[in-house]
């Protein structure tokens, strides 16, 4: 098999619903992750019924949610971008070296890859300062803006330069690159000269090309065959360095780190170094076909099975090393070879997948990250949790909250109250002693036993009501029980008449990072009924938050965790 499709018109074997579904996702991503259904119809020029069916399918897959007539991208869409990042091996293999260099230099360090005539970030270790790097993983910059693009241009052929010149003619202000400040467009005037200089020097610099005040130096990272796979950049501010002083002071250390990166890339795939704990999780058990069929049976004509299958093929690259064959993808997804082949034809046509020269191995491309990855990577833990808390409240008709542990207290990070005559007046930011609350006990129970014991030793429990447990020994036993049961029930220990149930929220490593609860008045139901009626819904909400957090936090840091 040679190239499966041309880049012009869709090939006859392309999957139309997959093309349309990806178009909807791109429009949503371009609109910062939120768009009305009517605006989507106008932006995609698709029929209203087609957009509705596409959105129903994407919602079922967990890639977006519908808030009335507004579509909003959801964190689990990041699983597609995570599949590319996992297959590239770059974050897993090189990320620790980037982190170490950033700590050593006390400067921001990034990895970027070429994406057509642009540059896309795939890893960052940033330093939070008043003036710092604001680009996100997945953001696309024109090649002429910044240091990495001049390095990547060394691999361009004449047709690549012509495509770049045509883009400069038709989009001189870089309007197609929303992450780039308008003033950065001027950097294209000297790009050819900078690319030639980078070829001679083996490094490139950015002297305030992207934004006034930001300076950077970049070095190419090559694989064992000598091909550029990415560029490593150190970014600083003119209050700390000029472009010249940055180069003189930090370029030698950057080159040393790049040498280690190239050694890591040259090592046999599948080694322990840089291994990704989540690799292959999306495609485990080959459930794409079965899940699509089940959803089709449940939703009927509102579920577009061919769209779900195509996205499943894209996600199946997760954990792959060196590309995947058609047969391997069929086995991973549980789909027929013919179905996978048509999906690959479509994905290659759209630039999300490439096929190796021998026509047997397929690779995901950085363009996958344009499907909302940058926007979703900025979500905080409260933002991830909020829609699930809303759904929980709608289901149980009681107030729901999420808290994190701050010192010896819990602090409310998100809350959705229910409308009742008697309700608990708590706002985000409120703090309570952890020992007397259901969420606090879940959070304390999730700590390593030694740390839990130390916290109980230093706390001095006070009776907040006549029911508050103040004995350290009893609290230790309660926390052991909570750790075994996976939930906490607190009866009137924080406030008379208040009953609360809480369960943990875990990050991708299994660590308890937050707790979710439902609070109710003791007069509305017995403790036994509360467990029967509220606990299943509470567990389900926490599992959904955990799943979203697992996707969002795999290659980015979710604030609030």
């Amino acid at each position: 098999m040679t190239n499966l499709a041309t880049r012009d018109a869709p090939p006859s074997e392309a999957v139309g619903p997959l093309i349309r579904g990806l178009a909807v996702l791109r429009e949503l991503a371009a609109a910062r992750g939120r768009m009305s259904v009517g605006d989507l119809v106008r932006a995609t020029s698709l029929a209203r019924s087609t957009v509705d069916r596409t959105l129903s399918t994407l919602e079922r897959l967990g890639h977006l949610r519908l808030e009335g007539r507004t579509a909003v991208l959801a964190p689990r869409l990041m699983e597609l971008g995570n599949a590319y990042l996992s297959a590239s091996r770059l974050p897993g293999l090189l990320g620790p070296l980037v982190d170490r260099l950033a700590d050593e230099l006390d400067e921001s360090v990034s990895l970027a890859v070429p994406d057509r005539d642009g540059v896309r970030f795939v890893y960052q270790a940033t330093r939070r300062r008043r003036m710092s790097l604001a680009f996100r993983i997945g953001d696309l910059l024109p090649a002429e803006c910044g240091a990495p693009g001049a390095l990547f241009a060394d691999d361009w052929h004449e047709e690549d330069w012509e495509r770049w010149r045509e883009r400069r003619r038709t989009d001189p202000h870089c309007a197609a690159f929303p992450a780039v400040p308008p003033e950065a467009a001027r950097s294209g005037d000297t790009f050819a000269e900078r690319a030639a200089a980078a070829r001679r020097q083996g490094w490139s610099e950015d002297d305030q090309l992207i934004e006034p005040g930001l300076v950077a130096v970049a070095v190419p990272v090559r694989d064992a065959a000598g091909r550029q796979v990415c560029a490593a950049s150190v970014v600083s501010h003119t209050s700390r360095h000029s472009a010249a002083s940055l180069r003189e002071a930090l370029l030698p250390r950057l080159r040393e780190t790049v040498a280690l990166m190239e050694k890591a890339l040259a090592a046999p795939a599948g080694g322990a170094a840089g291994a990704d704990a989540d690799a292959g999780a999306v495609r485990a058990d080959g459930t794409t076909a079965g899940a699509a069929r089940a959803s089709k049976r449940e939703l009927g004509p509102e579920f577009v099975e061919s769209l779900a299958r195509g996205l499943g093929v894209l996600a199946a690259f997760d954990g792959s090393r060196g590309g995947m064959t058609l047969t391997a993808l069929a086995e991973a997804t549980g789909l027929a070879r013919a179905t996978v082949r048509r999906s690959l034809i479509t994905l290659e046509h759209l630039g999300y997948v490439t096929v190796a020269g021998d026509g047997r191995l397929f690779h995901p491309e950085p363009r996958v990250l344009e499907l909302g990855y940058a926007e979703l990577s900025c979500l905080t833990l409260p933002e991830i949790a909020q829609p699930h808390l809303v759904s929980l409240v709608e289901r149980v008709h009681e107030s729901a909250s999420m808290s994190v542990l701050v010192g010896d207290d819990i602090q409310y990070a998100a809350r959705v109250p229910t409308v009742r005559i008697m309700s608990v007046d708590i706002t985000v930011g409120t703090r309570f002693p952890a020992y007397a609350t259901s969420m606090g006990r879940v959070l304390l129970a999730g700590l390593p036993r030694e740390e839990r014991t130390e916290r109980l030793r230093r706390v001095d429990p006070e009776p907040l009501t006549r029911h508050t447990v103040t004995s350290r020994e009893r609290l230790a036993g309660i926390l052991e029980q909570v750790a075994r049961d996976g939930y906490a029930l607190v009866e009137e220990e924080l406030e008379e008449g208040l009953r609360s149930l809480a369960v943990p929220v875990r990050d991708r490593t299994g660590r308890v990072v937050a707790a979710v609860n439902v609070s109710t008045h003791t007069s509305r139901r017995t403790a036994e009924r509360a467990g029967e009626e509220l606990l299943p819904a509470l567990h389900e909400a926490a599992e959904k938050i955990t799943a979203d957090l697992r996707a969002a936090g795999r290659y980015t840091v979710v604030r609030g965790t």
Side-chain angles (χ1 to χ4, degrees):
M1 216 191 294
T2 57
N3 273 358
L4 293 178
T6 64
R7 298 288 183 226
D8 301 319
S12 59
E13 293 182 89
V15 182
L18 179 55
I19 293 174
R20 293 188 284 273
L22 290 166
V24 166
L25 289 174
R26 285 195 301 273
E27 291 296 339
L28 275 168
R32 303 178 68 87
R34 176 183 293 266
M35 203 172 189
S36 72
V37 177
D39 287 342
L40 274 171
V41 170
R42 286 184 286 273
T44 59
S45 299
L46 297 173
R48 180 62 171 260
S49 60
T50 299
V51 172
D52 284 341
R53 292 180 65 227
T54 298
L55 293 176
S56 294
T57 303
L58 294 171
E59 183 180 36
R60 176 68 180 189
L61 296 173
H63 294 332
L64 57 78
R65 65 180 183 273
L66 293 172
E67 298 179 352
R69 297 303 294 170
T70 298
V72 184
L73 293 182
R76 268 176 277 184
L77 177 62
M78 295 176 73
E79 288 172 347
L80 300 180
N82 287 340
Y84 158 72
L85 292 171
S86 172
S88 76
R89 301 198 302 155
L90 298 179
L93 282 176
L94 310 187
L97 293 169
V98 171
D99 294 338
R100 191 172 74 186
L101 183 62
D103 288 341
E104 179 184 327
L105 303 180
D106 194 26
E107 299 286 1
S108 295
V109 182
S110 302
L111 294 179
V113 295
D115 188 354
R116 296 152 292 170
D117 63 345
V119 171
R120 207 177 285 274
F121 288 104
V122 295
Y123 195 86
Q124 288 189 340
T126 58
R127 289 296 172 267
R128 295 291 178 185
R129 296 196 176 97
R130 186 168 299 176
M131 295 291 292
S132 61
L133 189 68
F135 298 116
R136 308 159 297 186
I137 293 178
D139 270 334
L140 180 69
L141 275 62
E144 65 270 21
C145 296
L151 297 169
F152 298 146
D154 188 32
D155 293 330
W156 285 8
H157 301 292
E158 181 53 37
E159 56 266 31
D160 299 312
W161 279 103
E162 182 52 42
R163 183 172 59 248
W164 175 79
R165 286 189 286 266
E166 177 61 22
R167 192 255 296 164
R168 291 285 301 174
R169 285 193 293 269
T170 58
D171 186 16
H173 301 295
C174 298
F177 300 86
V180 178
E183 59 269 21
R186 72 183 189 279
S187 59
D189 299 339
T190 60
F191 183 53
E193 290 84 353
R194 287 188 285 114
R199 184 183 306 113
R200 293 191 306 271
Q201 299 162 167
W203 53 267
S204 178
E205 69 181 10
D206 172 355
D207 189 356
Q208 307 180 75
L209 295 169
I210 295 179
E211 188 169 313
L214 286 182
V215 291
V217 61
V219 173
V221 181
R222 301 180 184 275
D223 62 15
R227 294 183 294 262
Q228 290 190 83
V229 293
C230 65
S233 305
V234 177
V235 184
S236 188
H237 191 262
T238 51
S239 61
R240 295 169 60 85
H241 279 289
S242 67
S245 71
L246 180 71
R247 181 177 70 249
E248 292 168 5
L250 305 185
L251 181 57
R253 186 65 190 93
L254 175 59
R255 279 178 159 158
E256 291 174 6
T257 299
V258 166
L260 295 175
M261 291 179 177
E262 293 178 340
K263 184 177 180 181
L265 288 172
D276 187 342
D278 282 344
V282 173
R283 56 191 181 94
D285 301 324
T287 56
T288 297
R293 285 193 294 269
S295 296
K296 183 68 174 177
R297 285 195 298 271
E298 184 174 336
L299 298 181
E302 293 304 306
F303 186 81
V304 186
E305 195 169 0
S306 56
L307 169 58
R309 288 171 170 173
L311 295 178
V313 169
L314 197 54
F317 285 100
D318 198 339
S320 63
R321 295 292 183 265
M324 294 183 72
T325 64
L326 178 60
T327 299
L329 285 164
E331 291 174 353
T333 58
L335 297 170
R337 282 171 54 91
T339 300
V340 174
R341 184 178 183 279
R342 291 191 64 205
S343 295
L344 289 170
I345 288 172
T346 309
L347 293 168
E348 190 199 359
H349 170 73
L350 296 174
Y352 296 115
V353 167
T354 56
V355 59
D358 62 2
R360 295 187 64 254
L361 288 177
F362 298 89
H363 305 259
E365 286 291 291
R367 192 174 188 180
V368 175
L369 296 174
E370 77 176 1
L371 301 175
Y373 203 92
E375 192 66 33
L376 291 168
S377 70
C378 295
L379 291 176
T380 63
L381 177 58
E383 290 170 333
I384 289 172
Q386 191 72 13
H388 299 298
L389 295 181
V390 170
S391 297
L392 176 61
V393 170
E394 291 174 347
R395 180 174 172 181
V396 302
H397 308 292
E398 301 286 0
S399 298
S401 306
M402 183 182 71
S403 291
V404 295
L405 197 60
V406 179
D408 294 324
D409 295 339
I410 62 165
Q411 181 170 334
Y412 280 70
R415 179 165 170 80
V416 178
T418 191
V419 179
R420 289 188 181 274
I421 294 175
M422 289 190 302
S423 61
V424 182
D425 185 18
I426 298 172
T427 59
V428 171
T430 298
R431 292 173 66 158
F432 290 120
Y435 69 85
T437 66
S438 63
M439 289 189 286
R441 289 179 181 175
V442 163
L443 290 164
L444 291 172
L447 296 172
R449 184 173 280 103
E450 297 77 10
E451 184 178 351
R452 189 196 312 162
T453 301
E454 173 59 25
R455 283 177 180 264
L456 286 179
R457 187 191 62 78
R458 71 178 185 231
V459 76
D460 185 17
E462 296 181 359
L464 305 178
T465 73
R466 58 194 172 95
H467 303 284
T468 306
V469 175
T470 57
S471 163
R472 290 191 182 90
E473 291 73 18
R474 280 192 62 194
L475 284 171
I478 289 171
L479 293 182
E480 286 287 349
Q481 186 68 41
V482 170
R484 289 193 298 270
D485 294 344
Y487 73 92
L489 171 65
V490 169
E491 294 269 279
E492 302 186 86
E493 295 190 46
L494 180 66
E495 184 175 326
E496 296 280 352
L498 179 65
R499 174 184 294 123
S500 179
L501 271 165
V503 298
V505 171
R506 301 178 185 274
D507 66 10
R508 58 182 292 269
T509 68
R511 181 174 63 97
V512 176
V513 294
V516 174
N517 88 333
V518 170
S519 55
T520 180
H521 198 275
T522 54
S523 64
R524 289 204 277 273
R525 53 174 67 84
T526 65
E528 184 178 4
R529 278 189 58 204
E532 294 172 352
E533 296 175 3
L534 302 179
L535 197 55
L538 190 55
H539 274 303
E540 184 177 329
E543 287 166 3
K544 289 180 177 178
I545 297 170
T546 295
D548 280 356
L549 182 58
R550 183 183 180 90
R554 185 167 170 189
Y555 293 116
T556 64
V557 177
V558 178
R559 286 184 293 126
T561 54

